[in-house]
Amino acid sequence: MKSKRNFLICLALLAVAQPAISQDQTSPQSLLVGRWRHMTLVRIVDGTTLAPQHFDGSGLLEFTNSNTWQLTMPNNKSAGTYKWLESGELEATTLESGLAIQVGAVSRKQVRVDNDRLNLITVQTAAEAAKFQPPAKPGVRRSSDVVITSIFSRVSSEK
């Protein structure tokens, strides 16, 4: 009789847990995991949207459940770790890259994700951009904030 009662308790717990499990599969954290093909890059500089850059999809970005990421582009590979912040943003740290200046870089990204599409939105301030640019020439005005949106499509999982 005791085992029947334990069995019924287990069934009840599973029934209660099922909605939470289903809900978790639609969270940004779970939707992010997988392989993504880089399709488009959009920049907004000082409030002006520049012409989108379209790619052939050869760039692949993968996020894992173990909070690591890897980006493979035709001319560079990079990898690192990521974590979710309380703000809902993603903080990515670059640990490996073919471009030495990227190693150790930490960036914050807004994430818009569903089953098929991923948008990673980075706001780069003028101070952050200045780190990667040559010294400003007298009389030349640099842009202030730049919003960079990288658009990816999900790579279908092969069975």
Side-chain angles (χ1 to χ4, degrees), residues 128-146:
E128 291 168 337
K131 294 176 189 175
F132 302 103
Q133 297 173 341
K137 295 179 182 176
V140 174
R141 184 185 168 281
R142 287 198 169 154
S143 60
S144 55
D145 294 346
V146 177

Side-chain angles (χ1 to χ4, degrees), residues 27-29 32 82-92 107-113 118-121:
S27 70
Q29 291 82 354
L32 181 70
Y82 70 92
K83 67 180 177 181
W84 288 93
L85 303 175
E86 286 185 25
S87 64
E89 291 178 304
L90 188 77
E91 182 180 271
S107 63
R108 293 173 69 137
K109 300 171 185 323
Q110 298 170 25
V111 178
R112 307 286 183 267
V113 63
L118 167 65
N119 289 4
L120 295 177
I121 305 159

Side-chain angles (χ1 to χ4, degrees), residues 27-66:
S27 70
Q29 291 82 354
S30 62
L31 287 170
L32 181 70
V33 173
R35 290 176 44 138
W36 299 90
R37 190 172 305 283
H38 194 207
M39 302 306 294
T40 309
L41 184 75
V42 178
R43 287 185 181 95
I44 301 172
V45 180
D46 293 334
T48 302
T49 302
L50 305 180
Q53 286 181 271
H54 299 284
F55 301 101
D56 63 4
S58 60
L60 294 173
L61 175 61
E62 182 173 9
F63 289 94
T64 69
N65 280 320
S66 59

